[in-house]
Amino acid sequence: MAAKLWPGVAGIRPPSSVKANSAALEPEKDSVRWRMPPEKHMDPYVENDILVVRSSNAWLPTMYVLRSTGPNKPKQIRIESMVCKSVTAYVKLFEAVKPAFDRRRKAIRRGSVIAVSFTILFIVVVAAVLGISRHRSEDDDGSKRTATALSTTLKAVCSATLYPSTCEATLKPMVNTPRKFDPFNLYRLSLQTAIHELSTASNRINSLEPERNSTAQSISMQALDSCRELIGLAIDHLNDSFLSAPSSGVLSSSSIADDLRSWTSAAITYQQTCADEFDDFAASQPIKDKIAGVLKNSNELASNSLAIFKQVHGLLAGTARKRRGLAEDDGCGFPVWVSPKDRKLLQSSSDPRTKADAVVAKDGSGRFWTIKAALEAVPEKSKKRIVIYVKKGVYYENVRVEKNKWNVMIVGDGMGSTVVSGKLNVVDGTPTFKTATFAVFGKGFIGRDMTFRNTAGAAKHQAVALMSSSDLSVFYRCRFDAYQDTLYTHSMRQFYRECEIYGTVDFIFGNAAAVLQRCTILPRRPLQGQKNTITAQGKVDPNQNTGTSIHDCTVKPLGDLSGVRVYLGRPWKPYSTTVFMRSSLGSLVDPTGWLPWTGNSAPDSIFYSEYQNSGPGASTKKRVNWKGLRRMDARQANGFTAGSFLGADYWIPSTGVPFNSGL
């Protein structure tokens, strides 16, 4: 029977036909509608109540929507790859498509004014530019019309940012150079201005000093040191974005788009963290106010860059697509950045300790006595995986994997056996960012079979066990043991599998794109009168691709928590994004579920959600009545899975670490 385009979905054509047998789909009784890229599949067919789709591309189509209203609709969709036979996915039929579609259509209508206006203006500009290139003798009136169109387009672009006035002021020079106009140049120009402003801010911060002889002088100096490091990281990632951004509106791969958005998102997070470092100390308020003033323009410019990229890339891509993941596939589920050696290192059948490049041992049986010493010997920016085996024992040291130490793997003898232990904390005068027992900045880090611990205790407040700002990082079978602020998922893209996290207040916090899967989350007894909050996610900009996804995990108490109220989280920042999906929630979870950061409510802009959880703490009947506490359907929930949020299908299979791609 003839397949019809789903109404309201533009730019995607359905397959020319659907082959159905009488036992499954009856053309006269059933209605089948598709949303599917036609060039990446062959005509589907029904077999034993299963709709079978064979993909002609190594990339399996990332979204299939089937609506079948007849009595004989198929129960499942099976997606098969004709390129890599081992890749097969089963997606349950989404039964309640229409209500979700109606909500989507209303959302589209609400946002249509800006989107349609910008699209029309974009077409006008492109036409004008093409006209200029073909007719260089264009008269003055034509030039004025082109300049007017460009100016109008610029206003449309800037209207979608959080800071439109700043956007127009910084990008206005583009209007004066129409012959060089390219949509992606808007993004590149915005990055240039952000880098310049942030470099200026960095110089000003370097010249700041706390008031002499003040009680907060030492603390403020440490916070300033953190700021200088963070602003340096922000500049690095904006530079990475600028150098990787195409000079024309064509991205060489979807992974570049992911990188650009992640790096620009991180640059915003670093600036926010700089300001946050002074929150712990009231006496540091005067210098915090100065920092806020210094970073105001650079924050706005970085935010605008991110908004412009998202907008321009979306238009040039033609139709909205799900993110393919962290890197391009090689045709059989492996990203290009995962080498054959790396695939073997994490496989359960291969013990990476036997292939270690360096061994650390407290008994002297290794080359190094400390983890710090082993890391110092790691070559800078290594493209080769460097494996450091840390033998059983407790290592009392604060460790940093610096930003130029790439592709480091730390593997121990098991959580509880190999322990890195520290005790830095806020009460004793160390800003939160610097309290981490183990801090990671170098990209591609892997931690396996380790415990990271901060023994400061509940009375010392913020005391981080592990902080990660490492992009494309994995933690497998690790334990994070502390009280307040245990696991700092600071920024970038991170995956945690089969880990244990102990804590009290905000003990999983930060602003990374982080997925925790099959982990055990263990709230412990806090200070007298304190409430336990599991998460405090820190998304500060709606265009950041960040959030905390807790999927297929278990929440249970560590010891006796009688009389202690435990919450799933509280919104640290205005766009805080946290989901609990298909997890087991024990009776320790308070019936209201979530706790305000201040007052009695939360910003409407947050995104909190619970999806198909189980256990005595999973009932949502008495949950807080916040606008930001959302109900997710299957499609939305799938967006927070490892496969969609981190592109796990294309890189985690290569590591041998067990994982769930979808729900």
Side-chain angles (χ1 to χ4, degrees), residues 3 55 57 157 176 246 293 305 356 431 539:
S55 171
N57 189 289
V157 172
N176 299 322
S305 293
K539 187 173 181 177

Side-chain angles (χ1 to χ4, degrees), residues 492-534:
M492 294 300 192
R493 296 163 282 190
Q494 307 175 17
F495 180 71
Y496 297 79
R497 173 76 183 197
E498 297 177 27
C499 294
E500 294 181 356
I501 307 101
Y502 302 170
T504 55
V505 178
D506 305 337
F507 62 96
I508 301 171
F509 78 112
N511 195 23
V515 173
L516 286 72
Q517 195 175 95
R518 293 281 179 92
C519 293
T520 303
I521 298 169
L522 298 118
R524 66 199 315 171
R525 181 162 291 278
L527 293 175
Q528 183 68 31
Q530 273 189 332
K531 299 179 178 69
N532 276 359
T533 45
I534 295 171

